[in-house]
Coordinates of all heavy atoms in Angstrom, one line a residue:
Chain D
L310 N -5.0 -16.5 39.5 CA -4.6 -17.7 38.8 C -5.6 -18.1 37.8 O -5.3 -18.6 36.7 CB -4.3 -18.9 39.8 CG -3.8 -20.1 39.1 CD1 -2.4 -19.9 38.6 CD2 -3.7 -21.2 40.2
S311 N -6.9 -17.9 38.1 CA -8.0 -18.3 37.2 C -8.0 -17.5 35.9 O -8.5 -17.9 34.9 CB -9.4 -18.1 37.9 OG -9.5 -16.7 38.3
A312 N -7.3 -16.3 35.9 CA -7.2 -15.5 34.7 C -6.4 -16.2 33.7 O -6.4 -15.9 32.5 CB -6.6 -14.1 35.0
L313 N -5.6 -17.2 34.1 CA -4.7 -18.0 33.2 C -5.5 -19.1 32.5 O -5.1 -19.6 31.5 CB -3.5 -18.5 33.9 CG -2.5 -17.6 34.4 CD1 -1.4 -18.3 35.2 CD2 -1.9 -16.8 33.2
R314 N -6.7 -19.5 33.1 CA -7.4 -20.7 32.5 C -7.7 -20.5 31.1 O -7.5 -21.4 30.3 CB -8.6 -21.0 33.4 CG -9.0 -22.5 33.3 CD -10.0 -22.9 34.3 NE -9.6 -22.6 35.6 CZ -10.4 -22.4 36.7 NH1 -11.7 -22.5 36.5 NH2 -9.9 -22.2 37.9
P315 N -8.3 -19.3 30.6 CA -8.5 -19.2 29.2 C -7.3 -19.4 28.3 O -7.4 -19.6 27.1 CB -9.1 -17.8 29.0 CG -9.5 -17.4 30.4 CD -8.6 -18.1 31.3
L316 N -6.1 -19.2 28.9 CA -4.9 -19.3 28.1 C -4.5 -20.8 27.9 O -3.6 -21.1 27.1 CB -3.7 -18.6 28.7 CG -3.9 -17.1 28.7 CD1 -2.7 -16.4 29.5 CD2 -3.9 -16.5 27.3
L317 N -5.1 -21.7 28.6 CA -4.7 -23.1 28.6 C -4.7 -23.7 27.1 O -3.7 -24.2 26.7 CB -5.6 -24.0 29.5 CG -4.9 -25.3 29.9 CD1 -3.7 -25.0 30.7 CD2 -5.9 -26.2 30.6
P318 N -5.8 -23.6 26.3 CA -5.7 -24.1 25.0 C -4.5 -23.4 24.1 O -3.9 -24.1 23.3 CB -7.0 -23.8 24.4 CG -7.7 -22.9 25.3 CD -7.1 -23.0 26.6
V319 N -4.3 -22.1 24.4 CA -3.2 -21.5 23.7 C -1.9 -22.0 24.1 O -1.0 -22.3 23.2 CB -3.2 -19.9 24.0 CG1 -2.1 -19.2 23.2 CG2 -4.6 -19.3 23.7
F320 N -1.7 -22.3 25.4 CA -0.5 -22.9 25.9 C -0.3 -24.3 25.3 O 0.8 -24.6 24.9 CB -0.5 -22.9 27.4 CG 0.7 -23.6 28.0 CD1 1.9 -22.9 28.1 CD2 0.7 -24.9 28.5 CE1 3.1 -23.4 28.6 CE2 1.9 -25.5 29.0 CZ 3.1 -24.7 29.1
I321 N -1.4 -25.1 25.3 CA -1.2 -26.5 24.8 C -0.9 -26.5 23.3 O 0.0 -27.2 22.9 CB -2.5 -27.3 25.1 CG1 -2.7 -27.5 26.6 CG2 -2.5 -28.6 24.3 CD1 -4.1 -28.1 27.0
S322 N -1.5 -25.6 22.6 CA -1.2 -25.5 21.1 C 0.2 -25.1 20.9 O 0.9 -25.5 20.0 CB -2.2 -24.6 20.4 OG -2.0 -23.3 20.8
Y323 N 0.7 -24.1 21.8 CA 2.1 -23.7 21.7 C 3.1 -24.9 22.0 O 4.0 -25.1 21.3 CB 2.4 -22.5 22.7 CG 3.8 -22.2 22.8 CD1 4.5 -21.8 21.7 CD2 4.5 -22.1 24.0 CE1 5.9 -21.4 21.7 CE2 5.8 -21.8 24.1 CZ 6.5 -21.4 23.0 OH 7.8 -21.1 23.0
L324 N 2.8 -25.6 23.1 CA 3.6 -26.7 23.5 C 3.7 -27.8 22.3 O 4.8 -28.2 21.9 CB 3.1 -27.4 24.7 CG 3.8 -28.7 25.2 CD1 5.2 -28.4 25.5 CD2 3.0 -29.2 26.5
M325 N 2.5 -28.1 21.7 CA 2.4 -29.0 20.6 C 3.3 -28.6 19.4 O 4.1 -29.3 18.9 CB 1.0 -29.2 20.2 CG 0.6 -30.5 19.6 SD -1.2 -30.7 19.6 CE -1.6 -29.9 18.0
S326 N 3.2 -27.3 19.1 CA 3.9 -26.8 17.9 C 5.4 -26.7 18.2 O 6.2 -26.9 17.3 CB 3.3 -25.5 17.4 OG 2.0 -25.6 17.0
F327 N 5.7 -26.3 19.4 CA 7.1 -26.2 19.8 C 7.8 -27.6 19.6 O 8.9 -27.7 19.1 CB 7.2 -25.8 21.3 CG 8.6 -25.5 21.7 CD1 9.1 -24.2 21.8 CD2 9.5 -26.5 22.1 CE1 10.4 -23.8 22.1 CE2 10.8 -26.1 22.5 CZ 11.2 -24.9 22.5
I328 N 7.1 -28.6 20.0 CA 7.7 -30.0 19.9 C 7.8 -30.3 18.4 O 8.8 -30.9 17.9 CB 6.8 -31.0 20.6 CG1 6.9 -30.8 22.1 CG2 7.2 -32.5 20.3 CD1 6.0 -31.6 23.0
F329 N 6.7 -30.0 17.6 CA 6.8 -30.4 16.1 C 8.0 -29.6 15.5 O 8.7 -30.2 14.7 CB 5.5 -30.1 15.4 CG 4.6 -31.2 15.5 CD1 3.4 -31.1 16.2 CD2 4.9 -32.4 14.9 CE1 2.5 -32.2 16.3 CE2 4.1 -33.5 15.0 CZ 2.9 -33.4 15.7
I330 N 8.1 -28.3 15.7 CA 9.2 -27.5 15.1 C 10.5 -28.1 15.6 O 11.5 -28.2 14.9 CB 9.0 -26.0 15.4 CG1 7.7 -25.5 14.8 CG2 10.1 -25.2 14.8 CD1 7.6 -25.4 13.3
G331 N 10.5 -28.4 16.9 CA 11.8 -29.0 17.5 C 12.2 -30.3 16.8 O 13.3 -30.5 16.5
I332 N 11.2 -31.1 16.5 CA 11.4 -32.4 15.8 C 12.0 -32.1 14.4 O 13.0 -32.7 13.9 CB 10.1 -33.2 15.6 CG1 9.8 -33.8 17.0 CG2 10.3 -34.3 14.6 CD1 8.4 -34.5 17.0
Y333 N 11.4 -31.1 13.7 CA 11.9 -30.8 12.4 C 13.4 -30.3 12.5 O 14.2 -30.6 11.7 CB 11.0 -29.7 11.6 CG 10.0 -30.4 10.9 CD1 8.7 -30.5 11.4 CD2 10.3 -31.1 9.7 CE1 7.7 -31.2 10.7 CE2 9.3 -31.7 9.0 CZ 8.0 -31.8 9.5 OH 7.1 -32.5 8.8
W334 N 13.7 -29.4 13.5 CA 15.0 -28.9 13.6 C 16.0 -30.0 13.9 O 17.0 -30.1 13.2 CB 15.1 -27.9 14.7 CG 16.5 -27.4 14.9 CD1 17.2 -26.6 14.1 CD2 17.5 -27.8 15.9 NE1 18.5 -26.4 14.5 CE2 18.7 -27.2 15.6 CE3 17.4 -28.7 17.0 CZ2 19.8 -27.4 16.4 CZ3 18.5 -28.8 17.8 CH2 19.7 -28.2 17.5
N335 N 15.6 -30.9 14.8 CA 16.4 -32.1 15.1 C 16.7 -33.0 13.9 O 17.8 -33.4 13.6 CB 15.6 -32.9 16.1 CG 16.5 -33.3 17.3 OD1 17.6 -33.7 17.1 ND2 15.9 -33.2 18.5
N336 N 15.6 -33.3 13.1 CA 15.8 -34.1 12.0 C 16.6 -33.4 10.9 O 17.5 -34.1 10.2 CB 14.4 -34.5 11.3 CG 13.6 -35.4 12.2 OD1 14.2 -36.0 13.1 ND2 12.4 -35.5 11.9
H337 N 16.4 -32.1 10.7 CA 17.2 -31.3 9.8 C 18.7 -31.4 10.2 O 19.6 -31.5 9.3 CB 16.7 -29.9 9.8 CG 17.1 -29.1 8.6 ND1 18.2 -28.3 8.6 CD2 16.5 -28.8 7.5 CE1 18.3 -27.7 7.5 NE2 17.3 -28.0 6.7
H338 N 18.9 -31.2 11.4 CA 20.3 -31.3 12.0 C 20.9 -32.6 11.7 O 22.0 -32.7 11.1 CB 20.2 -31.1 13.5 CG 21.5 -31.0 14.2 ND1 22.7 -31.2 13.6 CD2 21.8 -30.6 15.5 CE1 23.6 -31.1 14.5 NE2 23.1 -30.7 15.6
H339 N 20.2 -33.7 12.0 CA 20.8 -35.0 11.7 C 21.0 -35.2 10.2 O 22.0 -35.8 9.8 CB 19.8 -36.1 12.2 CG 19.9 -36.4 13.7 ND1 19.3 -35.7 14.7 CD2 20.6 -37.4 14.3 CE1 19.7 -36.2 15.8 NE2 20.4 -37.3 15.6
L340 N 20.0 -34.8 9.4 CA 20.1 -35.0 7.9 C 21.4 -34.3 7.4 O 22.1 -34.9 6.6 CB 18.9 -34.4 7.3 CG 18.6 -34.6 5.8 CD1 18.4 -36.0 5.5 CD2 17.5 -33.7 5.3
M341 N 21.6 -33.0 7.8 CA 22.6 -32.2 7.3 C 24.0 -32.8 7.7 O 25.0 -32.5 7.0 CB 22.5 -30.7 7.7 CG 21.3 -30.0 7.0 SD 21.6 -30.0 5.2 CE 19.9 -30.1 4.6
Q342 N 24.1 -33.5 8.8 CA 25.3 -34.1 9.2 C 25.9 -35.1 8.2 O 27.0 -35.3 8.1 CB 25.1 -34.9 10.5 CG 24.7 -34.1 11.7 CD 25.9 -34.1 12.7 OE1 26.4 -35.1 12.9 NE2 26.2 -33.0 13.3
A343 N 24.9 -35.7 7.5 CA 25.3 -36.7 6.5 C 25.5 -36.2 5.1 O 25.9 -36.9 4.2 CB 24.3 -37.9 6.5
V344 N 25.2 -34.9 5.0 CA 25.2 -34.3 3.6 C 26.6 -33.8 3.3 O 27.3 -33.3 4.1 CB 24.3 -33.0 3.6 CG1 24.6 -32.1 2.4 CG2 22.8 -33.5 3.5
E345 N 27.1 -34.2 2.1 CA 28.4 -33.8 1.6 C 28.4 -32.5 0.8 O 29.4 -31.7 0.9 CB 29.0 -34.9 0.8 CG 29.5 -36.1 1.7 CD 29.5 -37.4 1.0 OE1 29.8 -37.5 -0.2 OE2 29.1 -38.4 1.7
S346 N 27.4 -32.3 0.0 CA 27.3 -31.0 -0.8 C 25.8 -30.8 -1.1 O 24.9 -31.6 -1.0 CB 28.1 -31.2 -2.1 OG 27.4 -32.1 -2.9
V347 N 25.6 -29.5 -1.5 CA 24.2 -29.1 -1.8 C 24.3 -28.4 -3.2 O 25.3 -28.0 -3.6 CB 23.6 -28.1 -0.8 CG1 23.5 -28.8 0.6 CG2 24.4 -26.9 -0.7
N348 N 23.1 -28.2 -3.8 CA 23.1 -27.4 -5.0 C 21.8 -26.5 -5.0 O 21.1 -26.5 -4.0 CB 23.1 -28.4 -6.3 CG 21.8 -29.2 -6.4 OD1 21.0 -29.2 -5.5 ND2 21.8 -30.1 -7.4
G349 N 21.6 -25.8 -6.2 CA 20.5 -24.9 -6.2 C 19.1 -25.6 -5.9 O 18.3 -25.0 -5.2
A350 N 18.9 -26.8 -6.4 CA 17.7 -27.5 -6.2 C 17.4 -27.7 -4.7 O 16.3 -27.6 -4.1 CB 17.6 -28.8 -7.0
V351 N 18.5 -28.1 -4.0 CA 18.4 -28.4 -2.6 C 18.1 -27.1 -1.8 O 17.3 -27.1 -0.9 CB 19.7 -29.0 -2.0 CG1 19.8 -29.0 -0.5 CG2 20.0 -30.4 -2.6
L352 N 18.7 -26.0 -2.2 CA 18.4 -24.7 -1.6 C 16.9 -24.4 -1.7 O 16.3 -24.0 -0.7 CB 19.2 -23.5 -2.2 CG 20.7 -23.6 -2.0 CD1 21.3 -22.2 -2.5 CD2 21.1 -23.8 -0.6
W353 N 16.3 -24.6 -2.8 CA 14.9 -24.4 -3.0 C 14.0 -25.4 -2.3 O 12.9 -25.0 -1.8 CB 14.6 -24.2 -4.5 CG 14.9 -22.8 -4.9 CD1 15.9 -22.5 -5.7 CD2 14.2 -21.6 -4.6 NE1 16.0 -21.1 -5.9 CE2 14.9 -20.5 -5.2 CE3 13.1 -21.3 -3.8 CZ2 14.5 -19.2 -5.0 CZ3 12.7 -20.0 -3.6 CH2 13.5 -19.0 -4.2
A354 N 14.4 -26.6 -2.3 CA 13.7 -27.7 -1.5 C 13.7 -27.3 0.0 O 12.6 -27.5 0.6 CB 14.3 -29.0 -1.8
N355 N 14.8 -26.8 0.4 CA 14.9 -26.3 1.8 C 14.0 -25.1 2.1 O 13.2 -25.0 3.1 CB 16.3 -26.0 2.1 CG 16.6 -25.9 3.6 OD1 16.3 -26.8 4.4 ND2 17.0 -24.7 4.0
L356 N 14.0 -24.1 1.2 CA 13.1 -23.0 1.3 C 11.6 -23.4 1.3 O 10.8 -22.8 2.0 CB 13.4 -21.9 0.2 CG 14.6 -21.0 0.5 CD1 14.9 -20.2 -0.7 CD2 14.2 -20.0 1.6
H357 N 11.3 -24.3 0.5 CA 9.9 -24.9 0.4 C 9.5 -25.5 1.7 O 8.4 -25.2 2.2 CB 9.9 -25.9 -0.7 CG 8.6 -26.6 -0.9 ND1 8.4 -28.0 -0.8 CD2 7.3 -26.1 -1.1 CE1 7.2 -28.2 -1.0 NE2 6.5 -27.2 -1.2
L358 N 10.4 -26.2 2.3 CA 10.1 -26.8 3.7 C 9.9 -25.6 4.7 O 9.0 -25.6 5.5 CB 11.3 -27.7 4.1 CG 11.3 -28.1 5.6 CD1 10.0 -28.9 5.9 CD2 12.5 -28.9 5.9
L359 N 10.8 -24.6 4.6 CA 10.7 -23.5 5.6 C 9.4 -22.7 5.4 O 8.8 -22.3 6.3 CB 11.9 -22.6 5.4 CG 13.3 -23.1 5.8 CD1 14.4 -22.1 5.6 CD2 13.3 -23.6 7.3
F360 N 8.9 -22.7 4.1 CA 7.6 -22.0 3.9 C 6.5 -22.6 4.6 O 5.8 -22.0 5.3 CB 7.3 -21.9 2.4 CG 6.0 -21.3 2.1 CD1 5.9 -19.9 2.2 CD2 4.9 -22.0 1.8 CE1 4.7 -19.3 1.9 CE2 3.7 -21.4 1.6 CZ 3.6 -20.0 1.6
W361 N 6.4 -24.0 4.5 CA 5.3 -24.7 5.2 C 5.5 -24.6 6.7 O 4.5 -24.4 7.5 CB 5.1 -26.0 4.7 CG 4.6 -26.1 3.3 CD1 5.3 -26.6 2.2 CD2 3.4 -25.6 2.8 NE1 4.6 -26.4 1.1 CE2 3.4 -25.8 1.4 CE3 2.3 -24.9 3.3 CZ2 2.4 -25.4 0.5 CZ3 1.2 -24.6 2.5 CH2 1.3 -24.8 1.1
L362 N 6.7 -24.7 7.2 CA 6.9 -24.6 8.6 C 6.5 -23.2 9.1 O 6.0 -23.0 10.2 CB 8.4 -24.9 9.0 CG 8.9 -26.3 8.8 CD1 10.3 -26.4 9.2 CD2 8.0 -27.3 9.6
S363 N 6.8 -22.2 8.3 CA 6.5 -20.8 8.7 C 5.0 -20.5 8.9 O 4.6 -19.5 9.5 CB 7.0 -19.8 7.7 OG 6.2 -19.6 6.6
L364 N 4.1 -21.4 8.3 CA 2.7 -21.3 8.5 C 2.2 -21.9 9.9 O 1.1 -21.7 10.3 CB 1.9 -21.9 7.4 CG 2.1 -21.2 6.0 CD1 1.3 -21.9 5.0 CD2 1.6 -19.8 6.1
T365 N 3.1 -22.6 10.6 CA 2.8 -23.2 11.8 C 2.3 -22.2 12.9 O 1.3 -22.4 13.5 CB 4.0 -24.0 12.4 OG1 4.4 -24.9 11.4 CG2 3.6 -24.8 13.6
P366 N 3.0 -21.0 13.0 CA 2.5 -20.0 14.0 C 1.0 -19.6 13.7 O 0.2 -19.4 14.6 CB 3.4 -18.8 13.9 CG 4.7 -19.4 13.4 CD 4.3 -20.5 12.5
F367 N 0.7 -19.5 12.4 CA -0.7 -19.1 12.1 C -1.7 -20.2 12.5 O -2.7 -19.8 13.2 CB -0.8 -18.9 10.6 CG -2.2 -18.7 10.0 CD1 -2.9 -17.6 10.4 CD2 -2.7 -19.7 9.2 CE1 -4.3 -17.5 9.8 CE2 -4.0 -19.6 8.7 CZ -4.8 -18.5 9.0
V368 N -1.5 -21.4 12.1 CA -2.5 -22.5 12.5 C -2.5 -22.8 13.9 O -3.5 -23.1 14.5 CB -2.3 -23.8 11.6 CG1 -2.7 -23.5 10.2 CG2 -0.8 -24.3 11.7
T369 N -1.3 -22.6 14.6 CA -1.3 -22.8 16.0 C -2.1 -21.7 16.7 O -2.9 -22.0 17.6 CB 0.2 -22.6 16.5 OG1 1.0 -23.6 15.8 CG2 0.3 -22.9 18.0
A370 N -2.0 -20.4 16.3 CA -2.8 -19.4 16.8 C -4.3 -19.7 16.6 O -5.1 -19.4 17.5 CB -2.4 -18.0 16.2
W371 N -4.6 -20.2 15.4 CA -6.1 -20.5 15.1 C -6.6 -21.6 16.0 O -7.7 -21.4 16.6 CB -6.2 -20.8 13.7 CG -7.6 -20.5 13.2 CD1 -8.5 -19.6 13.7 CD2 -8.3 -21.1 12.1 NE1 -9.6 -19.5 13.0 CE2 -9.6 -20.5 11.9 CE3 -8.0 -22.1 11.1 CZ2 -10.5 -20.8 11.0 CZ3 -8.9 -22.4 10.1 CH2 -10.2 -21.8 10.1
I372 N -5.9 -22.7 16.2 CA -6.4 -23.7 17.1 C -6.5 -23.3 18.5 O -7.4 -23.6 19.3 CB -5.7 -25.1 16.9 CG1 -4.2 -25.0 17.3 CG2 -5.9 -25.7 15.6 CD1 -3.6 -26.4 17.4
G373 N -5.5 -22.4 18.9 CA -5.5 -21.9 20.3 C -6.7 -21.0 20.6 O -7.4 -21.1 21.6
A374 N -7.0 -20.1 19.6 CA -8.1 -19.2 19.7 C -9.4 -19.8 19.7 O -10.4 -19.3 20.2 CB -7.9 -18.0 18.7
T375 N -9.6 -20.9 19.0 CA -10.9 -21.5 18.7 C -11.0 -22.8 19.6 O -12.0 -23.6 19.4 CB -11.1 -22.0 17.3 OG1 -10.1 -22.9 16.9 CG2 -11.0 -20.7 16.3
R376 N -10.1 -23.0 20.5 CA -10.1 -24.2 21.4 C -10.2 -25.5 20.7 O -11.1 -26.3 20.9 CB -11.2 -24.0 22.5 CG -11.0 -22.8 23.3 CD -12.3 -22.4 24.0 NE -11.9 -21.5 25.1 CZ -11.8 -21.9 26.3 NH1 -12.0 -23.1 26.7 NH2 -11.4 -21.0 27.3
F377 N -9.4 -25.7 19.7 CA -9.3 -26.9 19.0 C -10.6 -27.3 18.3 O -11.1 -28.4 18.4 CB -8.9 -28.1 19.9 CG -7.5 -27.9 20.5 CD1 -7.2 -27.0 21.6 CD2 -6.4 -28.6 19.9 CE1 -5.9 -26.9 22.1 CE2 -5.1 -28.4 20.4 CZ -4.9 -27.5 21.5
A378 N -11.1 -26.4 17.5 CA -12.3 -26.6 16.7 C -11.9 -27.5 15.4 O -10.8 -27.6 15.1 CB -13.0 -25.3 16.3
S379 N -12.9 -28.0 14.7 CA -12.7 -28.9 13.6 C -11.9 -28.4 12.5 O -10.8 -28.9 12.1 CB -14.0 -29.5 13.0 OG -14.6 -30.3 14.0
W380 N -12.3 -27.2 11.9 CA -11.6 -26.7 10.7 C -10.2 -26.3 11.1 O -9.2 -26.6 10.4 CB -12.4 -25.5 10.1 CG -13.4 -26.0 9.1 CD1 -14.7 -26.0 9.2 CD2 -13.0 -26.5 7.8 NE1 -15.3 -26.5 8.1 CE2 -14.3 -26.8 7.2 CE3 -11.9 -26.7 7.1 CZ2 -14.4 -27.3 5.9 CZ3 -11.9 -27.2 5.8 CH2 -13.2 -27.5 5.2
P381 N -10.0 -25.6 12.2 CA -8.6 -25.2 12.6 C -7.7 -26.4 12.7 O -6.6 -26.4 12.3 CB -8.8 -24.4 13.8 CG -10.1 -23.8 13.8 CD -11.0 -24.9 13.1
V382 N -8.2 -27.5 13.4 CA -7.4 -28.7 13.6 C -7.1 -29.3 12.3 O -6.0 -29.8 12.1 CB -8.1 -29.6 14.6 CG1 -7.4 -31.0 14.7 CG2 -8.1 -29.1 16.0

Side-chain angles (χ1 to χ4, degrees):
Chain D
L310 185 65
S311 61
L313 291 178
R314 205 165 307 154
L316 289 179
L317 200 66
V319 182
F320 179 77
I321 292 172
S322 66
Y323 173 56
L324 175 61
M325 208 164 89
S326 295
F327 189 98
I328 292 172
F329 274 114
I330 300 290
I332 288 170
Y333 271 100
W334 177 74
N335 225 318
N336 290 346
H337 196 271
H338 184 352
H339 275 84
L340 185 67
M341 288 299 149
Q342 293 249 318
V344 161
E345 283 152 37
S346 70
V347 299
N348 64 358
V351 168
L352 294 190
W353 278 106
N355 192 59
L356 275 168
H357 176 237
L358 169 63
L359 294 177
F360 178 75
W361 292 115
L362 291 181
S363 80
L364 294 180
T365 308
F367 167 68
V368 288
T369 304
W371 205 26
I372 60 171
T375 62
R376 298 159 163 266
F377 295 81
S379 290
W380 272 106
V382 170

